[in-house]
Amino acid sequence: MSNFEPNIIAFVCNWCSYAGADQAGEQKLDYPANVKLIRVMCTGRVDPQFVMNAFRGGADGVMVLGCHPGDCHYRNGNIKALRRFEIFKNMLGQFGINRERFLLDWVAAGEGQKFQKVTTEMTEKIKGLGPLVIRGYVESEVV
């Protein structure tokens, strides 16, 4: 398992977290290449089904990164995401997925270092958990 390189999908808000990733790049801060970014307009638009599809499609970990509460460009999209994913995270175990494989966090446009820290910590956590193996109903939806 020491050679395991996880596949991590990150849904990032266009206004804050994507800009945070961009700033990390501008500052030449390395972050794991395992993290694949999917740019969304707002975390409030990320449906839990998107996260499940990512897991079904081979992601070992999924992150949703958005604006800090109170900074949402759509007023309360990140608060909706917070409420939605608190419930979702509790349900992951029912699908046979360790809840530690999912992360909701906030990264502002000026927080390139935080983006680096969050993605690096998530990658290390997923490396420790090993590859995701899903079975049963969740797996059958892949076909």
Side-chain angles (χ1 to χ4, degrees), residues 42-45 67-84 106:
C42 178
T43 54
R45 301 290 297 166
C67 302
H68 287 272
D71 289 343
C72 180
H73 286 66
Y74 301 101
R75 296 182 139 192
N76 59 0
N78 51 6
I79 300 300
K80 288 180 182 175
L82 176 64
R83 291 179 182 148
R84 182 179 303 137
W106 320 117

Side-chain angles (χ1 to χ4, degrees), residues 101-122:
R101 293 183 181 276
F102 175 78
L103 175 70
L104 172 68
D105 206 342
W106 320 117
V107 177
E111 294 181 321
Q113 290 182 337
K114 181 172 181 185
F115 182 84
Q116 178 192 38
K117 179 178 180 270
V118 167
T119 54
T120 301
E121 287 176 354
M122 181 69 169

Side-chain angles (χ1 to χ4, degrees), residues 117-133:
K117 179 178 180 270
V118 167
T119 54
T120 301
E121 287 176 354
M122 181 69 169
T123 301
E124 292 304 315
K125 182 190 304 179
I126 300 301
K127 280 183 178 178
L129 292 172
L132 174 64
V133 178

Side-chain angles (χ1 to χ4, degrees), residues 3-139:
N3 294 330
F4 169 61
E5 289 297 330
N7 181 23
I8 299 173
I9 301 296
F11 294 94
V12 294
C13 143
N14 179 61
W15 305 104
C16 290
S17 300
Y18 187 82
D22 198 33
Q23 188 178 59
E26 288 175 8
Q27 293 177 347
K28 301 192 183 315
L29 301 172
D30 291 333
Y31 66 88
N34 312 57
V35 179
K36 286 32 171 220
L37 304 181
I38 297 177
R39 190 177 186 175
V40 296
M41 291 308 290
C42 178
T43 54
R45 301 290 297 166
V46 179
D47 190 300
Q49 193 65 36
F50 300 166
V51 176
M52 289 307 297
N53 285 341
F55 281 126
R56 280 190 214 115
D60 299 300
V62 178
M63 299 189 298
V64 176
L65 303 175
C67 302
H68 287 272
D71 289 343
C72 180
H73 286 66
Y74 301 101
R75 296 182 139 192
N76 59 0
N78 51 6
I79 300 300
K80 288 180 182 175
L82 176 64
R83 291 179 182 148
R84 182 179 303 137
F85 285 110
E86 282 293 319
I87 295 168
F88 175 75
K89 195 169 183 176
N90 289 328
M91 294 174 59
L92 278 175
Q94 296 176 14
F95 300 121
I97 299 171
N98 184 327
R99 59 185 286 161
E100 295 299 314
R101 293 183 181 276
F102 175 78
L103 175 70
L104 172 68
D105 206 342
W106 320 117
V107 177
E111 294 181 321
Q113 290 182 337
K114 181 172 181 185
F115 182 84
Q116 178 192 38
K117 179 178 180 270
V118 167
T119 54
T120 301
E121 287 176 354
M122 181 69 169
T123 301
E124 292 304 315
K125 182 190 304 179
I126 300 301
K127 280 183 178 178
L129 292 172
L132 174 64
V133 178
I134 51 177
R135 296 181 176 86
Y137 178 74
V138 175
E139 183 184 37

